[in-house]
Amino acid sequence: QVQLVESGGGLVQRGGSLRLSCAYSQTILGINAVAWYRQAPGKQRELVAGFTSGGGTNYADSVKGRFTIFRDNAKKTVYLQMNSLKPEDTAVYYCNAKIYRGMATGWENYWGQGTQVTVSS
């Protein structure tokens, strides 16, 4: 079973920083379009940051200049560095990826279990 496991969430004060990690387990043949989403109470899940198919990155306007997505392929981990956090960044953050395990399954969409980020004012 492929798993995306997030970690690194927590409680931080306004202006603080957190680094989220998304580790993908098991031997897979390919992973693509890894992204971070978030969902605040009463709101829809929204894209925060992600890798494009061309290897670039894209960010929500609300986090540009504050958040950075990067990866360590050797560790099979994708990170989200969050700086200058604001109370409006409070949400559950989810890792999402397209994973290829072979011709039988093709490319499949996976979500992690989420990690809570709370920014106090």
Side-chain angles (χ1 to χ4, degrees):
Q1 183 69 28
V2 176
Q3 288 183 315
L4 297 174
V5 180
E6 300 104 332
S7 61
L11 174 64
V12 65
Q13 290 187 336
R14 175 194 292 269
S17 298
L18 284 174
R19 178 178 290 182
L20 306 183
S21 300
C22 172
Y24 44 98
S25 66
Q26 200 190 38
T27 301
I28 58 176
L29 300 180
I31 185 167
N32 199 7
V34 184
W36 286 94
Y37 288 75
R38 67 186 180 188
Q39 187 166 20
K43 295 188 177 181
Q44 288 189 331
R45 192 171 295 189
E46 63 174 356
L47 176 68
V48 176
F51 290 102
T52 65
S53 58
T57 55
N58 63 317
Y59 296 90
D61 288 343
S62 59
V63 307
K64 283 180 181 176
R66 300 189 298 122
F67 290 11
T68 303
I69 186 171
F70 62 100
R71 65 200 304 169
D72 185 330
N73 290 331
K75 294 183 177 179
K76 295 185 178 181
T77 301
V78 175
Y79 302 92
L80 183 68
Q81 178 67 42
M82 305 186 295
N83 299 327
S84 302
L85 282 161
K86 305 175 181 179
E88 50 264 44
D89 294 319
T90 295
V92 178
Y93 284 71
Y94 297 90
C95 182
N96 174 262
K98 307 294 188 290
I99 290 175
Y100 185 77
R101 293 187 291 143
M103 292 181 63
T105 55
W107 287 95
E108 298 174 290
N109 189 48
Y110 282 88
W111 291 92
Q113 82 287 355
T115 184
Q116 177 70 47
V117 171
T118 303
V119 184
S120 66
S121 55

